[in-house]
């Protein structure tokens, strides 16, 4: 009956490996979870919590008995156990009993340990651990690479003997061997010590140790006591198991020692294990689970050719590329090379079988992940998960469609075209970049750490704290920090705006200069008895002369004395420079109304109390202010954190809203501020950017695709694509600029009203003084006029009398003298 059930299941499940149709109760098709059988004591159950499952995948695991001997009774028990648990696949160390049973039931068997050399290949056995033939080929390549000519092989197993046999085939190499027995007594260690002495005495300097962990430790400790770790001795340890060698006691020995073992690269894209969780056993278990997930995903969309389709997806793991041929062996083999120094630096090498040349197969300074990056197979077999936040113009929503757009979105599109990968973009829930808090990281950095995203697409500032937990691309833009405020309301044109070219102090200095020069001119003219006596005896004329020359008036009569002329010349030169400077600045001050905000840089905010100022909570700018040593910025941080904690905003959008409300200065990245003010003429940027840093894109620590994205960005920069994208999203601020038309703009009446008022004031004051003087002088003028009238009458009478007397004299003279012959009288 059991055989009948088995045959039926084979017929029905010929094309379905994981889910067998329910026939006579063999497999429960109503179960939604994938059922994985685990061979007892060979798989750590907590490994499933460390490996990320695909979306929608559910798994239950069931412990299976680890049968030690290949007997009919054990085969029957294993067969019944698999039928009872209805598992879809099993995983664990090699077990010959399960090899036979899974072959009959057509259940996948993921073998996580070394498979014996005489084990026949089966279609359903996947050998994740390489066999002895792979290790022997690697040892031969290393012997050729390092030019070994005299070798001693120390082994303790059948697999070690296989490698010894392959090495001995090299006719150009002298080979000696020694088999280590288990330490049953003290004589075993003594025998080992004697053999090592013989090898040392025979001038053999190259040792290949192929033993278990305990026996390897015995050999190394005996070699250390015999001083066999010094030059020119060379040691090659071949680890063909899942137990790692303890090299803590030998790291400082500076021995020329290399370990050849199964590949274990946590920097691989599909390796979910971190530095604290990875070891050889977990690394290979991670790959088994990853391959199981991939098999399930492909099976959901295919009814046949599952293995071929998985190979096409190029699944990577902690131990290398996971591709299996028809015999269940891995097509591409990778082994790890580690020196003693690698235990400190984590810089490892590798051996692979995929290259023809020896120098390519042995890479002493290139890890698996680095090799994959150079070959271009760097992206996971799924869409790249992109996390981002709204940060115009880097990332924003299209007003019509609601899709993502912006500077970084355009860069992502260009990079994806170059590297040929697909992606999904989603917003980070808390809307933050990511900063370290007492309870952990926040924002997109937190998502990268939790493996909820592969790339954080945002203008990240590359800082030491962030670089410890995530990696960054090369900067795609250099930026700084600056300040944005709302433009102050214009107070209108001032009546006496023509006084603006000079400060009050300058005007006061000009006035006192006028007084001093006038007094000096009067003094020197009086001392030198200048011919222009109006300057010598009249102080008022000196003042009038100096004032007239200052206003470029036309005055008659210049000083003649040398001293007076020197004073006048110095004053003229002073007036020439003064009027030139005044004229040069007057046009701008009359045609342009400047908004004087009282601050010219971010540091000026520390010395004023008109504007509140702040930045975004948890941002890198806040980190800068918190740790800066500059006095002004320390004062600003004290103001923001202690005196005005409400000035710190939670989001960038909140900062710009407070700026628009007035009397608030927002400190933020210059590209974002430049973009905002380009479309808002009510905002203005203060000063030049400070704290210059580069913008980078963050991605998961040690991700293989990071270097590829960096190279793609550099290529876009070289080809000018990045410049075009930047020009697209950053435009200049198109606002009316009065300075641009200052040379051609006509002056309005209100611009020059002050001058007319001064003129009118001067005329009015002059008229008032004239009127006052007239009123005061009028009575005096009447008296003067009467006196003048009587004086005139007296003068007229005197003149008449004089004329009469004179006429009388002429008449008398004419009577006495007579006339001349012409009848003319002689008048004396």
């Amino acid at each position: 009956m059991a055989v009948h059930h088995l045959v039926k299941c084979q017929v029905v499940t010929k094309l379905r490996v994981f889910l067998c149709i329910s026939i006579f109760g063999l497999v429960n098709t109503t179960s939604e979870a994938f059922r994985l059988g685990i061979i007892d004591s060979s798989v750590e159950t907590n490994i499933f919590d460390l490996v990320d499952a695909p979306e929608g995948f559910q798994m239950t695991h069931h412990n299976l008995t680890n049968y030690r001997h290949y007997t009919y009774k054990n085969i029957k028990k294993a067969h019944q156990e698999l039928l009872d648990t209805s598992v879809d696949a099993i995983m664990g160390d090699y077990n010959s009993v399960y090899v036979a049973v899974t072959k009959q039931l057509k259940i996948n068997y993921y073998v996580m340990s070394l498979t014996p050399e005489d084990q026949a290949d089966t279609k359903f056995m996947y050998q994740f651990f390489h066999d002895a033939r792979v290790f022997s080929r690697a040892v031969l390549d290393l012997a050729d690479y390092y030019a070994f000519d005299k070798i001693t092989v120390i082994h303790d197993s059948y697999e070690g003997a296989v490698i010894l046999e392959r090495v001995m085939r090299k006719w150009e190499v002298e080979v000696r061997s020694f088999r280590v027995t288990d330490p049953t007594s003290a004589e075993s260690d003594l025998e080992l010590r004697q053999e090592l002495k013989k090898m040392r005495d025979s001038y053999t300097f190259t040792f290949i140790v192929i033993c278990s962990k305990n026996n390897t430790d015995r050999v190394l400790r005996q070699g250390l006591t015999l001083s066999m770790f010094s030059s020119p001795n060379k040691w090659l340890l071949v680890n063909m198991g899942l137990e790692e060698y303890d090299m803590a006691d030998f790291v400082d020995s500076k021995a020329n020692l290399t370990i050849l073992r199964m590949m274990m690269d946590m920097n691989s894209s599909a390796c979910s294990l971190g530095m604290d969780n990875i070891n050889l056993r977990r690394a290979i278990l991670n790959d088994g689970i990853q391959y199981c997930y991939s098999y399930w995903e492909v099976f959901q969309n295919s009814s046949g050719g599952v293995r071929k389709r998985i190979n096409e997806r190029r699944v990577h793991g902690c131990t290398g590329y996971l591709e299996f041929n028809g015999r269940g062996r891995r097509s591409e083999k990778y082994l790890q090379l580690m020196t003693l120094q690698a235990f400190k630096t984590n810089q490892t090498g590798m051996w692979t079988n995929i290259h023809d040349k020896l120098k390519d197969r042995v890479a002493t300074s290139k890890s698996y992940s680095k090799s994959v990056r150079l070959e271009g197979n760097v992206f996971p077999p799924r869409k790249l998960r992109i996390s981002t936040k709204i940060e115009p113009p880097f990332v924003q929503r299209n007003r019509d469609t609601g899709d993502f757009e912006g500077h970084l979105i355009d860069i992502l599109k260009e990079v994806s075209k170059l590297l040929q990968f697909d992606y999904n973009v989603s917003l980070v829930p808390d809307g933050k970049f990511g900063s370290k808090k007492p309870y952990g990281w926040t924002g997109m950095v937190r998502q990268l750490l939790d493996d909820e995203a592969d790339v954080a697409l945002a203008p990240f500032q590359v800082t030491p704290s962030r670089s410890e937990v995530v990696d960054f691309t090369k900067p795609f833009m250099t930026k700084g920090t600056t300040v944005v405020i709302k433009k102050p309301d214009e107070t209108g044109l001032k009546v006496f705006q023509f006084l603006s070219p000079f400060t009050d102090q300058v005007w006061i200095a000009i006035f006192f200069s006028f007084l001093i020069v006038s007094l000096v001119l009067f003094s020197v003219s009086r001392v030198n008895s200048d011919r222009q006596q109006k300057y010598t005896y009249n102080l008022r004329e000196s003042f009038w002369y100096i004032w007239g020359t200052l206003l470029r008036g036309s005055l008659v009569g210049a000083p003649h004395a040398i001293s007076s002329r020197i004073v006048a010349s110095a004053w003229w030169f002073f007036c020439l420079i003064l009027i030139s400077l005044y004229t040069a600045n007057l046009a701008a001050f009359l045609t342009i109304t400047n908004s004087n905000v009282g601050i010219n840089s971010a540091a000026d905010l520390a010395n004023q109390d008109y504007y509140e100022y702040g930045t975004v909570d948890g941002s890198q700018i806040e980190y800068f202010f918190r740790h800066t040593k500059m006095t002004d910025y320390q004062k600003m941080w004290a103001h923001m954190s202690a005196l005005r904690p409400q000035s710190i905003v939670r989001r960038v959008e909140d900062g710009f809203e407070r700026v628009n409300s007035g009397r608030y200065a927002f400190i933020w990245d210059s590209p974002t501020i430049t973009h905002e003010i380009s479309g808002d003429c009510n905002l203005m940027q203060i000063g030049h950017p400070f704290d210059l840093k580069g913008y980078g894109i963050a991605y998961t620590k040690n991700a293989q695709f990071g270097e590829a994205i960096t190279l793609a960005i550099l290529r876009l920069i070289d080809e000018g694509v990045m410049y075009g994208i930047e020009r697209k999203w950053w435009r200049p601020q198109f606002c009316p600029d009065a300075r641009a038309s200052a040379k051609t703009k006509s002056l309005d009446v209100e611009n020059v009203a002050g001058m007319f008022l001064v003129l009118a004031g001067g005329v009015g004051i002059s008229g008032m003084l004239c009127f006052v003087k007239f009123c005061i002088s009028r009575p005096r003028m009447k008296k003067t006029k009467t006196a003048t009238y009587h004086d005139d009458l007296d003068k007229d009478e005197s003149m008449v009398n004089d004329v009469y007397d004179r006429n009388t004299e002429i008449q008398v003279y004419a009577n006495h003298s007579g006339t001349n012959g012409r009848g003319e009288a002689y008048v004396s």
Side-chain angles (χ1 to χ4, degrees):
M1 186 68 177
V3 175
H4 177 70
H5 290 180
L6 177 61
V7 173
K8 288 291 185 179
C9 187
Q10 287 178 348
V11 172
V12 176
T13 61
K14 184 176 181 180
L15 297 178
R16 306 194 65 174
V17 179
F18 280 90
L19 300 177
C20 187
I21 298 179
S22 179
I23 300 178
F24 302 101
L26 281 180
V27 180
N28 184 9
T29 58
T30 61
S31 176
E32 297 180 356
F34 179 80
R35 303 172 67 88
L36 179 66
I38 299 175
I39 299 178
D40 188 28
S41 73
S42 61
V43 176
E44 302 177 26
T45 55
N46 63 343
I47 189 66
F48 298 99
D49 298 330
L50 301 176
V51 182
D52 298 327
E55 184 177 356
F57 182 84
Q58 297 180 2
M59 174 187 288
T60 59
H61 45 81
H62 307 271
N63 291 332
L64 303 176
T65 305
N66 187 14
Y67 298 99
R68 301 291 182 180
H69 304 287
Y70 186 79
T71 62
Y72 172 76
K73 183 178 180 180
N74 288 339
I75 293 177
K76 185 177 180 180
K77 288 182 180 180
H79 179 271
Q80 188 60 41
E81 188 174 8
L82 294 182
L83 294 180
D84 292 341
T85 56
S86 301
V87 295
D88 301 314
I90 66 173
M91 177 186 295
D93 292 344
Y94 172 81
N95 190 296
S96 58
V97 174
Y98 284 108
V99 172
V101 175
T102 54
K103 180 179 179 181
Q104 290 180 335
L105 295 178
K106 295 186 177 181
I107 297 176
N108 285 357
Y109 179 18
Y110 301 139
V111 180
M112 301 295 157
S113 63
L114 183 67
T115 303
E117 186 70 16
D118 56 353
Q119 173 62 55
D121 297 330
T122 68
K123 184 177 181 181
F124 299 98
M125 182 177 67
Y126 291 78
Q127 301 180 37
F128 282 79
F129 198 94
H130 302 307
D131 56 25
R133 287 171 290 187
V134 176
F135 281 91
S136 62
R137 182 178 178 184
V139 170
L140 292 176
D141 282 344
L142 291 174
D144 292 337
Y145 185 84
Y146 291 109
F148 295 158
D149 56 356
K150 196 173 184 180
I151 302 174
T152 296
V153 179
I154 304 174
H155 64 94
D156 65 351
S157 62
Y158 172 77
E159 288 75 15
V162 172
I163 296 178
L164 172 63
E165 186 269 335
R166 297 291 180 90
V167 174
M168 293 183 66
R169 292 181 184 179
K170 295 180 67 66
W171 60 271
E172 69 273 13
V173 178
E174 180 182 346
V175 181
R176 299 183 61 181
S177 66
F178 172 71
R179 185 182 179 92
V180 180
T181 59
D182 293 333
T184 56
S185 63
E187 297 179 355
S188 300
D189 290 338
L190 181 59
E191 181 184 2
L192 174 60
R193 185 179 182 85
Q194 293 298 329
E195 288 293 334
L196 290 176
K197 283 184 178 181
K198 291 179 182 179
M199 298 173 189
R200 185 189 61 182
D201 296 339
S202 64
Y203 298 100
T204 301
F205 303 119
T206 303
F207 304 92
I208 300 177
V209 182
I210 314 169
C211 299
S212 64
K213 177 182 178 181
N214 293 334
N215 286 335
T216 300
D217 186 72
R218 291 173 57 206
V219 172
L220 293 179
R221 293 189 182 279
Q222 292 294 337
L224 182 61
T225 59
L226 294 173
S227 300
M228 298 178 67
F229 278 3
S230 59
S231 180
N233 294 286
K234 297 180 287 292
W235 293 80
L236 176 61
L237 309 183
V238 182
N239 186 357
M240 300 178 66
L242 295 177
E243 294 183 353
E244 298 185 47
Y245 294 157
D246 186 7
M247 306 302 297
D249 296 336
F250 309 101
V251 170
D252 297 329
S253 64
K254 298 182 180 180
N256 187 355
L257 187 149
T258 303
I259 300 175
L260 178 67
R261 68 181 188 183
M262 192 71 183
M263 175 59 66
M264 185 183 70
D265 191 351
M266 67 176 182
N267 296 328
S268 176
S269 61
C271 186
S272 303
L273 306 176
M275 177 69 72
D276 299 332
N277 298 319
I278 194 169
N279 56 40
L280 283 174
R281 178 169 291 276
R282 287 182 176 179
I284 200 166
L285 289 176
N286 171 88
D287 292 1
I289 297 173
Q290 290 285 1
Y291 194 81
C292 182
Y293 292 160
S294 299
Y295 213 115
W296 176 82
E297 287 181 322
V298 173
F299 182 78
Q300 297 298 104
N301 302 316
S302 175
S303 60
V306 178
R307 179 177 295 181
K308 179 180 178 181
R309 294 180 182 273
I310 293 179
N311 293 339
E312 292 175 352
R313 297 182 66 179
R314 297 195 64 83
V315 180
H316 296 270
C318 299
T319 62
Y321 175 43
L322 303 179
E323 180 181 2
F324 295 86
N325 55 28
R327 297 179 298 168
R329 298 179 184 270
R330 296 176 70 162
S331 301
E332 296 184 7
K333 285 85 175 178
Y334 294 90
L335 297 177
Q336 191 173 39
L337 297 174
M338 291 191 65
T339 62
L340 287 179
Q341 289 75 21
F343 286 91
K344 295 181 178 180
T345 63
N346 292 324
Q347 298 295 325
T348 63
M350 74 166 190
W351 172 89
T352 181
N353 69 327
I354 62 175
H355 297 292
D356 296 331
K357 296 182 180 181
L358 176 63
K359 64 177 183 179
D360 296 329
R361 293 198 299 270
V362 180
T364 58
S365 61
K366 184 170 63 176
S367 63
Y368 167 72
S369 57
K370 184 176 181 180
S371 174
V372 171
R373 286 197 297 268
L374 295 177
E375 294 173 4
N377 304 321
V378 294
F379 292 98
R382 51 172 170 76
K383 290 185 177 181
L384 211 60
R385 299 168 298 175
I386 309 294
S387 177
T388 187
K389 69 182 295 292
I390 300 299
E391 185 80 4
F394 296 100
V395 179
Q396 60 189 31
R397 293 281 192 180
N398 186 285
R399 296 181 179 178
D400 298 329
T401 63
D403 297 334
F404 289 108
E405 64 176 8
H407 178 254
L408 283 176
I409 298 298
D410 290 347
I411 293 178
L412 178 62
K413 292 178 180 179
E414 295 294 335
V415 171
S416 64
K417 290 179 183 179
L418 292 177
L419 302 180
Q420 298 296 318
F421 66 85
D422 297 326
Y423 57 88
N424 286 325
V425 181
S426 61
L427 291 175
V428 60
D430 61 0
K432 292 184 175 296
F433 287 90
S435 59
K436 193 173 183 179
K437 300 292 185 180
Y439 51 85
W441 285 89
T442 62
M444 289 177 281
V445 176
R446 177 78 266 168
Q447 287 192 305
L448 294 177
L449 293 176
D450 294 341
D451 198 26
E452 297 178 0
D454 300 312
V455 176
L457 189 69
F460 273 95
Q461 293 188 25
V462 183
T463 62
S465 59
R466 288 174 176 170
S467 299
E468 291 178 357
V469 294
V470 297
D471 286 338
F472 292 94
T473 63
K474 296 294 183 181
F476 62 87
M477 176 185 289
T478 301
K479 69 94 201 175
T481 304
T482 187
V483 181
V484 61
I485 63 172
K486 185 178 181 181
K487 289 183 179 179
D489 296 333
E490 296 183 357
T491 57
L493 297 172
K494 299 179 181 179
V495 175
F496 294 95
Q497 193 170 349
F498 65 89
L499 298 176
S500 299
F502 294 145
T503 62
D504 295 340
Q505 292 81 1
V506 174
W507 286 117
I508 294 173
I510 293 173
F511 174 73
F512 280 104
S513 299
F514 159 71
L515 295 179
I516 294 172
V517 173
S518 299
L519 292 174
V520 170
L521 178 62
F522 172 76
S523 301
V524 298
S525 298
R526 188 175 186 86
V527 171
N528 290 279
S529 299
D530 199 309
R531 284 185 294 173
Q532 289 288 349
Q533 296 182 1
K534 61 181 179 180
Y535 307 129
T536 303
Y537 299 105
N538 195 339
L539 180 61
R540 184 179 59 183
E541 292 296 330
S542 296
F543 278 100
W544 177 249
Y545 178 78
I546 296 300
W547 180 255
T549 54
L550 176 63
L551 300 181
R552 306 297 298 273
S554 178
L555 300 177
V556 179
H560 289 272
I562 299 298
S563 300
S564 302
R565 289 187 175 184
I566 293 175
V567 173
S569 299
W571 177 253
W572 293 343
F573 182 78
F574 173 80
C575 293
L576 176 64
I577 301 300
L578 180 67
I579 294 174
S580 299
L581 294 176
Y582 180 81
T583 306
N585 292 332
L586 182 60
F589 279 97
L590 292 179
T591 56
I592 301 173
T593 303
N594 283 324
S595 298
N596 184 15
V597 297
I599 53 176
N600 297 315
S601 65
D604 292 340
L605 292 172
N607 302 316
Q608 56 84 43
D609 55 4
Y610 182 80
Y611 287 98
E612 289 289 341
Y613 51 88
T615 185
V616 177
D617 181 31
S619 64
Q620 181 55 35
I621 298 177
E622 183 192 54
Y623 179 88
F624 165 79
F625 279 103
R626 182 184 292 114
H627 296 88
T628 184
K629 301 299 182 183
M630 303 178 69
T631 305
D632 289 335
Y633 297 143
Q634 286 180 335
K635 185 177 179 181
M636 292 174 63
W637 172 244
H639 176 87
M640 289 187 288
S641 60
L643 300 179
R644 294 290 189 273
Q646 67 273 16
S647 63
I648 303 294
V649 297
R650 293 184 54 83
R651 302 182 307 159
V652 178
E653 295 81 1
D654 298 337
F656 282 104
E657 288 180 3
R658 292 193 61 177
V659 170
N660 286 315
S661 64
R663 298 190 65 175
Y664 181 79
F666 183 47
I667 307 172
W668 196 239
D669 296 337
S670 56
T672 303
I673 289 179
T674 303
H675 173 74
E676 287 292 332
I677 66 176
S678 65
D680 191 349
C681 294
N682 294 323
L683 303 180
M684 62 182 299
Q685 181 175 328
I686 299 299
H688 297 286
F690 63 96
D691 188 29
L692 297 178
K693 285 186 174 66
Y695 273 156
I697 299 174
Y699 58 89
T700 308
K701 191 72 173 179
N702 298 320
Q704 298 178 9
F705 53 78
E707 186 174 352
I709 294 178
T710 293
L711 294 176
I713 290 176
L714 294 177
R715 179 179 174 182
L716 294 177
I717 294 175
D718 291 340
E719 294 178 354
V721 177
M722 198 73 73
Y723 177 74
I725 296 176
E726 186 174 336
R727 286 286 302 274
K728 174 183 176 182
W729 293 102
W730 275 275
R731 298 185 177 92
Q733 188 179 29
F734 293 104
C735 297
D737 187 5
R739 295 183 183 272
S741 58
K743 295 181 179 180
T744 58
K745 184 176 180 180
S746 300
L747 300 178
D748 297 330
V749 174
E750 57 184 359
N751 295 119
V752 295
M755 291 181 289
F756 288 100
L757 290 178
V758 171
L759 180 60
V763 173
I765 293 174
S766 176
M768 291 175 60
L769 292 176
C770 181
F771 178 75
V772 171
K773 185 176 181 180
F774 174 77
C775 294
I776 295 174
S777 303
R778 187 172 181 181
R780 187 181 303 170
M781 290 175 63
K782 289 183 178 180
K783 295 180 180 179
T784 304
K785 186 176 181 181
T786 304
T788 303
Y789 175 76
H790 291 291
D791 292 340
D792 291 340
L793 290 178
D794 294 339
K795 288 180 181 180
D796 292 340
E797 185 178 358
S798 177
M799 289 177 64
V800 171
N801 293 329
D802 290 341
V803 171
Y804 176 79
D805 292 340
R806 187 173 180 84
N807 292 334
T808 303
E809 291 179 359
I810 293 174
Q811 184 64 37
V812 171
Y813 179 77
N815 294 332
H816 288 283
S817 301
T819 59
N820 55 17
R822 294 186 297 267
E824 295 178 353
Y826 294 95
V827 180
S828 58

